Amino acid sequence: MHTIELKKDLYYVGVVDHSLKVFDVAVKTDYGTSYNSYLLKTNDGAVVFEGSKRAFKDEYLNNIRSLTPISEIKYIFVTHTEPDHTGSIEALLDENPDITVVASYAALANLEKILRRPFKKFQMLPGGNLSFGGYTFNFVSGLLLHWPDVMFTYIKELKCLVSCDAFGAHFASDDILLSKEKDKGGYKKALKYYFDNIMGPFASYVLQACDRVSKLEIEMILPGHGCIIDEHVEEQIELYRELARPLVPHADGNKVTIVYASAYGYTKEMALYLASRFKEDGKEIDLFEIDALNYASLKPEIIKSIYGTGTLLLGSPTLVGDAISLFYDILGSFFWTTAQGKKASAFGDYGWSGEAVPHLSDRLKQLHFSVIPGYRVNFKMDETAKEGLEAYYQTLK
Ligand code: FEO
Protein backbone atom coordinates (compact mmCIF):
# COMPACT_ATOMS: atom_id res chain seq x y z
CA MET A 1 0.00 0.00 0.00
CA HIS A 2 1.37 3.37 -0.97
CA THR A 3 -0.42 6.58 -0.10
CA ILE A 4 1.16 9.94 0.57
CA GLU A 5 -0.48 13.21 1.61
CA LEU A 6 0.60 15.80 -0.96
CA LYS A 7 -1.40 18.74 0.32
CA LYS A 8 -4.19 19.05 2.84
CA ASP A 9 -6.82 16.47 1.77
CA LEU A 10 -4.95 15.60 -1.46
CA TYR A 11 -3.30 12.17 -1.54
CA TYR A 12 -1.22 10.03 -3.84
CA VAL A 13 -3.01 6.69 -4.34
CA GLY A 14 -1.09 5.37 -7.35
CA VAL A 15 0.95 2.24 -7.88
CA VAL A 16 4.73 2.11 -8.22
CA ASP A 17 6.04 -0.66 -10.49
CA HIS A 18 9.78 -1.24 -10.24
CA SER A 19 9.64 -4.37 -12.36
CA LEU A 20 8.44 -2.96 -15.69
CA LYS A 21 11.05 -3.29 -18.46
CA VAL A 22 8.99 -2.43 -21.56
CA PHE A 23 6.02 -0.10 -21.93
CA ASP A 24 3.57 -0.21 -24.84
CA VAL A 25 5.55 -3.03 -26.43
CA ALA A 26 8.23 -0.73 -27.84
CA VAL A 27 9.36 1.71 -25.12
CA LYS A 28 12.13 0.56 -22.80
CA THR A 29 11.65 1.42 -19.15
CA ASP A 30 15.06 1.23 -17.51
CA TYR A 31 13.69 2.82 -14.36
CA GLY A 32 10.34 1.01 -14.06
CA THR A 33 7.29 3.25 -13.86
CA SER A 34 4.37 4.33 -11.72
CA TYR A 35 0.68 4.67 -12.51
CA ASN A 36 -0.12 7.83 -10.66
CA SER A 37 -3.52 8.45 -9.17
CA TYR A 38 -4.70 11.11 -6.76
CA LEU A 39 -7.52 11.35 -4.27
CA LEU A 40 -9.05 14.57 -2.98
CA LYS A 41 -11.27 14.46 0.09
CA THR A 42 -13.99 17.09 0.27
CA ASN A 43 -16.90 17.68 2.61
CA ASP A 44 -19.25 16.44 -0.13
CA GLY A 45 -17.37 13.26 -0.91
CA ALA A 46 -14.14 12.17 -2.57
CA VAL A 47 -12.75 12.86 -6.02
CA VAL A 48 -10.24 10.61 -7.77
CA PHE A 49 -7.92 11.68 -10.57
CA GLU A 50 -6.73 8.92 -12.92
CA GLY A 51 -6.97 5.17 -12.61
CA SER A 52 -4.21 2.63 -12.97
CA LYS A 53 -3.33 -0.36 -15.11
CA ARG A 54 -5.77 -3.25 -14.72
CA ALA A 55 -3.06 -5.58 -13.41
CA PHE A 56 -2.70 -3.30 -10.38
CA LYS A 57 -6.39 -2.69 -9.70
CA ASP A 58 -6.35 -4.42 -6.29
CA GLU A 59 -3.45 -2.33 -5.00
CA TYR A 60 -5.02 0.80 -6.48
CA LEU A 61 -8.41 0.14 -4.88
CA ASN A 62 -6.80 -0.75 -1.55
CA ASN A 63 -4.87 2.52 -1.62
CA ILE A 64 -8.15 4.38 -2.03
CA ARG A 65 -9.91 2.28 0.61
CA SER A 66 -7.18 3.08 3.12
CA LEU A 67 -8.28 6.72 2.89
CA THR A 68 -11.99 6.61 2.15
CA PRO A 69 -14.72 4.07 1.39
CA ILE A 70 -15.15 3.67 -2.35
CA SER A 71 -18.84 4.41 -1.83
CA GLU A 72 -17.77 7.96 -0.90
CA ILE A 73 -16.24 8.66 -4.32
CA LYS A 74 -18.36 11.04 -6.36
CA TYR A 75 -16.16 11.70 -9.41
CA ILE A 76 -13.24 10.19 -11.26
CA PHE A 77 -11.38 12.55 -13.57
CA VAL A 78 -9.85 10.85 -16.60
CA THR A 79 -7.22 12.89 -18.45
CA HIS A 80 -6.95 10.44 -21.37
CA THR A 81 -8.01 6.89 -21.98
CA GLU A 82 -4.89 4.83 -22.59
CA PRO A 83 -5.51 1.65 -20.61
CA ASP A 84 -2.48 2.02 -18.35
CA HIS A 85 -4.63 4.67 -16.64
CA THR A 86 -8.14 3.45 -17.36
CA GLY A 87 -7.77 -0.32 -16.97
CA SER A 88 -8.89 -0.22 -13.34
CA ILE A 89 -11.91 2.06 -13.75
CA GLU A 90 -14.15 -0.92 -14.45
CA ALA A 91 -13.31 -2.35 -11.02
CA LEU A 92 -13.95 1.03 -9.42
CA LEU A 93 -17.39 1.25 -11.04
CA ASP A 94 -18.14 -2.34 -10.06
CA GLU A 95 -17.98 -1.22 -6.45
CA ASN A 96 -19.61 2.15 -6.94
CA PRO A 97 -21.60 2.55 -10.17
CA ASP A 98 -22.76 6.02 -9.06
CA ILE A 99 -19.34 7.55 -9.68
CA THR A 100 -19.48 10.19 -12.42
CA VAL A 101 -16.68 9.95 -14.96
CA VAL A 102 -15.32 13.37 -15.90
CA ALA A 103 -13.48 13.42 -19.22
CA SER A 104 -13.27 15.10 -22.63
CA TYR A 105 -15.78 14.30 -25.36
CA ALA A 106 -13.30 12.02 -27.13
CA ALA A 107 -12.28 10.33 -23.87
CA LEU A 108 -15.90 9.63 -22.93
CA ALA A 109 -16.44 8.08 -26.35
CA ASN A 110 -13.36 5.89 -25.85
CA LEU A 111 -14.50 4.92 -22.37
CA GLU A 112 -17.78 3.62 -23.74
CA LYS A 113 -15.67 1.14 -25.75
CA ILE A 114 -13.40 0.35 -22.81
CA LEU A 115 -16.06 -0.03 -20.12
CA ARG A 116 -18.83 -1.50 -22.32
CA ARG A 117 -21.53 -0.45 -19.85
CA PRO A 118 -23.62 2.61 -19.07
CA PHE A 119 -21.93 5.07 -16.71
CA LYS A 120 -22.52 8.60 -15.42
CA LYS A 121 -20.68 11.21 -17.44
CA PHE A 122 -19.58 14.82 -17.16
CA GLN A 123 -17.93 16.24 -20.25
CA MET A 124 -14.83 18.38 -19.86
CA LEU A 125 -14.75 21.31 -22.27
CA PRO A 126 -11.51 23.21 -22.94
CA GLY A 127 -11.63 26.30 -20.76
CA GLY A 128 -14.62 24.94 -18.85
CA ASN A 129 -14.83 23.91 -15.23
CA LEU A 130 -16.64 21.86 -12.62
CA SER A 131 -17.19 23.01 -9.04
CA PHE A 132 -17.60 20.46 -6.30
CA GLY A 133 -16.97 20.19 -2.55
CA GLY A 134 -15.55 23.69 -2.29
CA TYR A 135 -13.10 23.17 -5.15
CA THR A 136 -12.99 24.46 -8.72
CA PHE A 137 -11.64 22.15 -11.37
CA ASN A 138 -10.61 24.02 -14.52
CA PHE A 139 -10.10 22.11 -17.74
CA VAL A 140 -7.12 22.87 -19.95
CA SER A 141 -6.72 21.28 -23.36
CA GLY A 142 -3.74 18.97 -23.75
CA LEU A 143 -4.72 18.03 -27.28
CA LEU A 144 -2.37 15.44 -28.80
CA LEU A 145 -0.17 15.08 -25.76
CA HIS A 146 0.04 12.28 -26.79
CA TRP A 147 -3.54 11.20 -27.48
CA PRO A 148 -6.31 13.25 -29.10
CA ASP A 149 -8.53 13.03 -26.01
CA VAL A 150 -6.18 14.66 -23.49
CA MET A 151 -7.52 17.26 -21.07
CA PHE A 152 -5.59 18.54 -18.06
CA THR A 153 -7.35 19.52 -14.83
CA TYR A 154 -6.20 22.49 -12.78
CA ILE A 155 -7.36 22.35 -9.16
CA LYS A 156 -7.64 26.06 -8.55
CA GLU A 157 -7.69 26.17 -4.74
CA LEU A 158 -4.69 23.80 -4.46
CA LYS A 159 -2.75 25.27 -7.40
CA CYS A 160 -2.20 21.76 -8.72
CA LEU A 161 -2.21 20.65 -12.36
CA VAL A 162 -3.22 17.07 -13.17
CA SER A 163 -1.26 16.79 -16.39
CA CYS A 164 -1.97 13.37 -17.88
CA ASP A 165 1.24 11.87 -19.34
CA ALA A 166 2.73 15.32 -19.96
CA PHE A 167 5.65 16.23 -17.67
CA GLY A 168 5.82 12.55 -16.72
CA ALA A 169 8.45 9.86 -16.96
CA HIS A 170 8.63 6.11 -16.68
CA PHE A 171 10.40 6.30 -13.38
CA ALA A 172 9.51 4.29 -10.28
CA SER A 173 10.05 6.56 -7.30
CA ASP A 174 8.99 5.38 -3.87
CA ASP A 175 9.34 8.93 -2.60
CA ILE A 176 7.07 10.14 -5.43
CA LEU A 177 7.90 13.79 -4.80
CA LEU A 178 10.63 15.18 -7.03
CA SER A 179 11.97 17.24 -4.14
CA LYS A 180 12.66 14.02 -2.23
CA GLU A 181 13.97 11.91 -5.09
CA LYS A 182 17.65 11.06 -4.63
CA ASP A 183 18.40 9.81 -8.15
CA LYS A 184 17.81 13.12 -9.93
CA GLY A 185 20.18 12.07 -12.74
CA GLY A 186 18.18 8.92 -13.43
CA TYR A 187 14.93 10.88 -13.33
CA LYS A 188 16.25 13.42 -15.86
CA LYS A 189 17.34 10.63 -18.20
CA ALA A 190 13.97 8.90 -17.88
CA LEU A 191 12.11 12.20 -18.46
CA LYS A 192 14.05 12.96 -21.65
CA TYR A 193 13.69 9.41 -22.96
CA TYR A 194 9.96 9.56 -22.23
CA PHE A 195 9.67 12.92 -23.94
CA ASP A 196 11.57 11.85 -27.06
CA ASN A 197 9.58 8.65 -27.46
CA ILE A 198 6.10 9.65 -26.30
CA MET A 199 5.74 13.43 -26.68
CA GLY A 200 8.38 14.13 -29.37
CA PRO A 201 6.10 13.34 -32.34
CA PHE A 202 3.72 16.02 -31.02
CA ALA A 203 6.28 18.71 -30.23
CA SER A 204 4.32 21.61 -31.69
CA TYR A 205 1.34 20.64 -29.53
CA VAL A 206 3.66 20.48 -26.51
CA LEU A 207 4.62 24.12 -27.03
CA GLN A 208 0.95 25.14 -27.31
CA ALA A 209 0.15 23.28 -24.09
CA CYS A 210 3.12 24.86 -22.29
CA ASP A 211 1.77 28.29 -23.22
CA ARG A 212 -1.63 27.42 -21.76
CA VAL A 213 -0.13 25.95 -18.61
CA SER A 214 2.23 28.88 -18.07
CA LYS A 215 -0.75 31.17 -17.52
CA LEU A 216 -1.65 29.21 -14.38
CA GLU A 217 -0.16 29.60 -10.94
CA ILE A 218 1.09 26.08 -10.29
CA GLU A 219 2.68 24.76 -7.13
CA MET A 220 2.53 21.10 -8.11
CA ILE A 221 2.31 19.18 -11.37
CA LEU A 222 0.65 15.79 -10.93
CA PRO A 223 1.59 13.67 -13.95
CA GLY A 224 0.41 10.20 -14.88
CA HIS A 225 3.82 8.60 -14.47
CA GLY A 226 6.96 9.29 -12.45
CA CYS A 227 7.71 11.99 -9.93
CA ILE A 228 5.25 14.63 -8.85
CA ILE A 229 6.84 17.97 -9.67
CA ASP A 230 6.71 19.86 -6.40
CA GLU A 231 9.77 22.08 -6.94
CA HIS A 232 11.07 24.35 -9.70
CA VAL A 233 7.77 24.04 -11.57
CA GLU A 234 8.54 26.90 -13.97
CA GLU A 235 11.90 25.35 -14.82
CA GLN A 236 10.24 22.02 -15.59
CA ILE A 237 7.80 23.69 -17.96
CA GLU A 238 10.69 25.53 -19.61
CA LEU A 239 12.60 22.23 -19.87
CA TYR A 240 9.62 20.79 -21.74
CA ARG A 241 9.77 23.72 -24.15
CA GLU A 242 13.51 23.15 -24.66
CA LEU A 243 12.94 19.49 -25.39
CA ALA A 244 10.13 20.27 -27.82
CA ARG A 245 11.63 23.13 -29.86
CA PRO A 246 14.17 21.07 -31.90
CA LEU A 247 11.46 18.53 -32.71
CA VAL A 248 8.87 20.92 -34.10
CA PRO A 249 8.45 19.88 -37.74
CA HIS A 250 9.50 22.42 -40.35
CA ALA A 251 10.80 22.07 -43.88
CA ASP A 252 14.13 23.82 -44.46
CA GLY A 253 14.45 23.83 -48.23
CA ASN A 254 18.24 24.12 -47.99
CA LYS A 255 18.65 21.00 -45.91
CA VAL A 256 18.92 17.40 -47.10
CA THR A 257 18.92 14.37 -44.81
CA ILE A 258 20.37 11.17 -46.24
CA VAL A 259 20.10 8.00 -44.19
CA TYR A 260 21.55 4.87 -45.74
CA ALA A 261 22.71 1.34 -44.99
CA SER A 262 25.15 -0.54 -47.15
CA ALA A 263 26.15 -4.19 -46.88
CA TYR A 264 28.88 -4.25 -49.53
CA GLY A 265 29.49 -0.61 -50.38
CA TYR A 266 27.24 -0.31 -53.47
CA THR A 267 24.43 1.66 -51.78
CA LYS A 268 27.09 3.70 -49.97
CA GLU A 269 28.58 4.72 -53.32
CA MET A 270 25.14 5.99 -54.39
CA ALA A 271 24.62 7.84 -51.11
CA LEU A 272 28.00 9.56 -51.27
CA TYR A 273 27.44 10.60 -54.87
CA LEU A 274 24.08 12.16 -54.04
CA ALA A 275 25.54 13.89 -50.98
CA SER A 276 28.39 15.35 -53.00
CA ARG A 277 26.03 16.60 -55.72
CA PHE A 278 23.77 18.30 -53.19
CA LYS A 279 26.82 19.82 -51.55
CA GLU A 280 28.05 21.20 -54.87
CA ASP A 281 24.65 22.84 -55.23
CA GLY A 282 25.03 24.54 -51.86
CA LYS A 283 22.75 22.35 -49.77
CA GLU A 284 23.37 21.50 -46.13
CA ILE A 285 23.71 17.72 -45.80
CA ASP A 286 23.06 15.47 -42.81
CA LEU A 287 24.49 12.09 -43.78
CA PHE A 288 23.97 8.98 -41.64
CA GLU A 289 25.23 5.47 -42.33
CA ILE A 290 23.31 3.09 -40.09
CA ASP A 291 23.72 -0.51 -39.07
CA ALA A 292 22.38 -2.72 -36.31
CA LEU A 293 25.17 -1.67 -33.95
CA ASN A 294 25.20 2.12 -34.31
CA TYR A 295 21.50 2.70 -34.96
CA ALA A 296 20.32 3.18 -31.38
CA SER A 297 22.91 5.88 -30.71
CA LEU A 298 22.34 7.65 -34.06
CA LYS A 299 18.54 7.53 -33.94
CA PRO A 300 17.97 10.72 -31.88
CA GLU A 301 20.15 12.75 -34.29
CA ILE A 302 18.45 11.21 -37.31
CA ILE A 303 14.99 12.01 -35.92
CA LYS A 304 16.02 15.58 -35.10
CA SER A 305 17.44 16.02 -38.60
CA ILE A 306 14.27 14.74 -40.27
CA TYR A 307 12.08 17.12 -38.25
CA GLY A 308 13.90 20.06 -39.81
CA THR A 309 14.81 18.77 -43.25
CA GLY A 310 13.43 19.81 -46.62
CA THR A 311 14.37 16.55 -48.36
CA LEU A 312 14.67 13.07 -46.89
CA LEU A 313 16.50 10.34 -48.80
CA LEU A 314 16.58 6.75 -47.60
CA GLY A 315 19.12 4.40 -49.14
CA SER A 316 18.65 0.72 -48.46
CA PRO A 317 19.76 -2.54 -50.00
CA THR A 318 17.14 -5.28 -50.20
CA LEU A 319 17.17 -7.93 -47.50
CA VAL A 320 14.65 -10.78 -47.43
CA GLY A 321 12.54 -9.01 -50.01
CA ASP A 322 12.33 -5.69 -48.19
CA ALA A 323 14.26 -2.67 -46.93
CA ILE A 324 16.47 -3.05 -43.87
CA SER A 325 14.04 -3.03 -40.92
CA LEU A 326 15.82 -0.09 -39.24
CA PHE A 327 14.27 2.22 -41.83
CA TYR A 328 10.80 1.23 -40.73
CA ASP A 329 11.76 2.03 -37.17
CA ILE A 330 12.79 5.52 -38.29
CA LEU A 331 9.57 6.04 -40.23
CA GLY A 332 7.54 4.69 -37.34
CA SER A 333 8.82 7.49 -35.12
CA PHE A 334 6.81 10.27 -36.75
CA PHE A 335 3.30 11.54 -36.65
CA TRP A 336 2.26 12.21 -40.25
CA THR A 337 2.17 15.98 -39.79
CA THR A 338 6.00 15.87 -39.69
CA ALA A 339 6.09 15.18 -43.42
CA GLN A 340 4.16 18.26 -44.50
CA GLY A 341 6.15 20.33 -46.98
CA LYS A 342 8.99 17.81 -47.24
CA LYS A 343 10.23 15.91 -50.28
CA ALA A 344 11.36 12.31 -49.89
CA SER A 345 12.67 9.47 -51.97
CA ALA A 346 14.31 6.04 -51.68
CA PHE A 347 17.32 4.61 -53.48
CA GLY A 348 19.50 1.56 -53.15
CA ASP A 349 21.43 -1.28 -54.60
CA TYR A 350 20.15 -4.84 -54.66
CA GLY A 351 21.26 -8.37 -55.47
CA TRP A 352 18.64 -10.87 -56.52
CA SER A 353 15.54 -8.80 -55.82
CA GLY A 354 14.95 -5.11 -55.31
CA GLU A 355 11.89 -4.48 -53.19
CA ALA A 356 13.52 -2.03 -50.76
CA VAL A 357 13.06 1.05 -52.93
CA PRO A 358 9.39 0.53 -53.87
CA HIS A 359 8.49 -0.55 -50.35
CA LEU A 360 10.15 2.46 -48.72
CA SER A 361 8.51 4.72 -51.31
CA ASP A 362 5.12 3.30 -50.35
CA ARG A 363 5.80 3.90 -46.66
CA LEU A 364 6.91 7.48 -47.35
CA LYS A 365 3.65 8.04 -49.23
CA GLN A 366 1.66 6.68 -46.29
CA LEU A 367 3.35 9.33 -44.14
CA HIS A 368 2.30 12.07 -46.59
CA PHE A 369 5.78 13.03 -47.79
CA SER A 370 5.91 14.46 -51.28
CA VAL A 371 7.50 11.34 -52.78
CA ILE A 372 9.81 11.46 -55.78
CA PRO A 373 10.14 8.14 -57.67
CA GLY A 374 13.12 6.17 -56.37
CA TYR A 375 16.19 4.76 -58.06
CA ARG A 376 17.64 1.27 -57.72
CA VAL A 377 20.64 -0.46 -59.21
CA ASN A 378 21.41 -4.18 -59.57
CA PHE A 379 24.83 -4.79 -58.01
CA LYS A 380 27.70 -2.49 -59.09
CA MET A 381 26.94 0.71 -61.00
CA ASP A 382 28.22 0.78 -64.58
CA GLU A 383 28.43 3.99 -66.61
CA THR A 384 24.77 3.74 -67.60
CA ALA A 385 23.69 3.31 -63.99
CA LYS A 386 25.85 6.28 -62.98
CA GLU A 387 24.14 8.40 -65.62
CA GLY A 388 20.84 7.17 -64.24
CA LEU A 389 21.90 8.24 -60.74
CA GLU A 390 22.72 11.72 -62.01
CA ALA A 391 19.33 11.86 -63.75
CA TYR A 392 17.74 10.76 -60.46
CA TYR A 393 19.63 13.52 -58.65
CA GLN A 394 18.19 16.08 -61.05
CA THR A 395 14.66 15.03 -60.04
CA LEU A 396 15.49 15.52 -56.36
CA LYS A 397 16.78 19.11 -56.63
FE1 FEO B 1 0.47 6.65 -19.60
FE2 FEO B 1 -0.72 7.54 -22.50
O1 FEO B 1 -0.64 6.43 -21.04
Side-chain angles (χ1 to χ4, degrees):
M1 203 179 307
H2 199 108
T3 65
I4 297 170
E5 185 166 24
L6 304 172
K7 287 199 167 210
K8 186 176 179 305
D9 292 332
L10 180 69
Y11 300 85
Y12 180 82
V13 291
V15 176
V16 178
D17 179 9
H18 287 274
S19 66
L20 192 76
K21 300 290 178 216
V22 178
F23 181 82
D24 267 3
V25 187
V27 179
K28 284 194 299 169
T29 49
D30 291 340
Y31 299 91
T33 195
S34 58
Y35 306 101
N36 294 345
S37 305
Y38 309 95
L39 179 114
L40 177 65
K41 289 184 181 177
T42 81
N43 291 335
D44 295 329
V47 174
V48 175
F49 301 90
E50 308 285 37
S52 78
K53 206 173 178 179
R54 184 167 54 182
F56 298 97
K57 68 178 170 50
D58 293 335
E59 185 176 344
Y60 166 68
L61 292 178
N62 284 335
N63 286 345
I64 294 173
R65 283 190 198 103
S66 71
L67 296 166
T68 191
I70 285 176
S71 59
E72 291 295 311
I73 297 172
K74 297 294 189 289
Y75 292 98
I76 177 161
F77 286 61
V78 175
T79 59
H80 84 316
T81 48
E82 196 166 8
D84 54 319
H85 305 280
T86 55
S88 58
I89 293 176
E90 187 177 9
L92 194 64
L93 295 184
D94 280 343
E95 288 204 32
N96 181 355
D98 286 331
I99 295 171
T100 298
V101 180
V102 185
S104 68
Y105 175 83
L108 289 171
N110 287 347
L111 282 166
E112 284 177 7
K113 309 266 184 348
I114 290 168
L115 297 172
R116 300 287 182 188
R117 66 161 84 183
F119 58 95
K120 291 185 177 176
K121 303 176 180 107
F122 183 94
Q123 186 184 324
M124 294 171 164
L125 292 169
N129 65 70
L130 168 66
S131 296
F132 175 76
Y135 290 92
T136 312
F137 308 104
N138 292 321
F139 307 129
V140 181
S141 173
L143 180 70
L144 280 170
L145 295 190
H146 61 124
W147 274 35
D149 57 354
V150 175
M151 195 81 78
F152 304 153
T153 297
Y154 176 66
I155 311 171
K156 190 177 164 191
E157 290 73 13
L158 298 180
K159 297 179 180 159
C160 287
L161 181 75
V162 185
S163 67
C164 189
D165 286 333
F167 306 106
H170 284 313
F171 188 80
S173 169
D174 289 318
D175 292 318
I176 291 296
L177 293 172
L178 183 58
S179 60
K180 291 192 175 169
E181 177 53 47
K182 292 171 196 72
D183 184 9
K184 291 276 204 303
Y187 169 75
K188 278 184 187 165
K189 270 175 76 176
L191 184 88
K192 179 166 189 330
Y193 182 81
Y194 188 93
F195 184 93
D196 286 344
N197 286 278
I198 309 278
M199 297 294 162
F202 309 98
S204 50
Y205 297 92
V206 170
L207 292 179
Q208 291 169 21
C210 285
D211 288 347
R212 283 181 214 115
V213 162
S214 287
K215 292 179 184 137
L216 305 169
E217 190 182 346
I218 300 173
E219 291 180 358
M220 246 184 220
I221 297 179
L222 311 176
H225 302 285
C227 291
I228 289 164
I229 298 165
D230 64 326
E231 62 175 11
H232 311 307
V233 170
E234 281 300 318
E235 284 91 330
Q236 285 296 122
I237 296 170
E238 189 49 39
L239 171 64
Y240 239 54
R241 284 196 178 96
E242 283 170 22
L243 292 171
R245 280 187 195 110
L247 304 184
V248 172
H250 59 286
D252 178 348
N254 199 46
K255 187 168 167 182
V256 178
T257 302
I258 303 175
V259 187
Y260 71 95
S262 189
Y264 301 106
Y266 299 134
T267 300
K268 181 171 189 160
E269 187 182 353
M270 298 169 79
L272 296 183
Y273 179 83
L274 294 169
S276 70
R277 291 293 285 118
F278 275 115
K279 214 167 183 179
E280 284 166 15
D281 283 340
K283 301 287 189 187
E284 180 194 336
I285 312 295
D286 283 352
L287 185 67
F288 302 95
E289 181 176 6
I290 58 172
D291 57 39
L293 207 56
N294 71 10
Y295 176 65
S297 61
L298 285 178
K299 183 179 173 183
E301 277 307 303
I302 293 170
I303 299 296
K304 202 165 124 187
S305 175
I306 293 172
Y307 275 121
T309 201
T311 302
L312 170 63
L313 299 180
L314 302 177
S316 176
T318 296
L319 187 72
V320 200
D322 207 336
I324 303 291
S325 62
L326 301 174
F327 290 97
Y328 294 108
D329 185 74
I330 293 170
L331 295 177
S333 303
F334 297 103
F335 192 47
W336 63 266
T337 51
T338 303
Q340 286 176 334
K342 298 178 196 289
K343 294 191 282 187
S345 189
F347 65 92
D349 177 86
Y350 64 98
W352 53 270
S353 65
E355 294 92 337
V357 167
H359 287 189
L360 282 177
S361 298
D362 286 348
R363 181 70 187 120
L364 289 164
K365 281 177 200 157
Q366 288 166 6
L367 287 167
H368 301 271
F369 282 95
S370 176
V371 176
I372 295 162
Y375 184 65
R376 60 184 173 174
V377 174
N378 194 199
F379 288 111
K380 185 174 163 60
M381 284 193 290
D382 60 8
E383 287 310 310
T384 305
K386 285 179 183 172
E387 285 169 17
L389 185 61
E390 172 60 24
Y392 172 60
Y393 169 71
Q394 294 299 327
T395 69
L396 299 173
K397 286 167 65 178

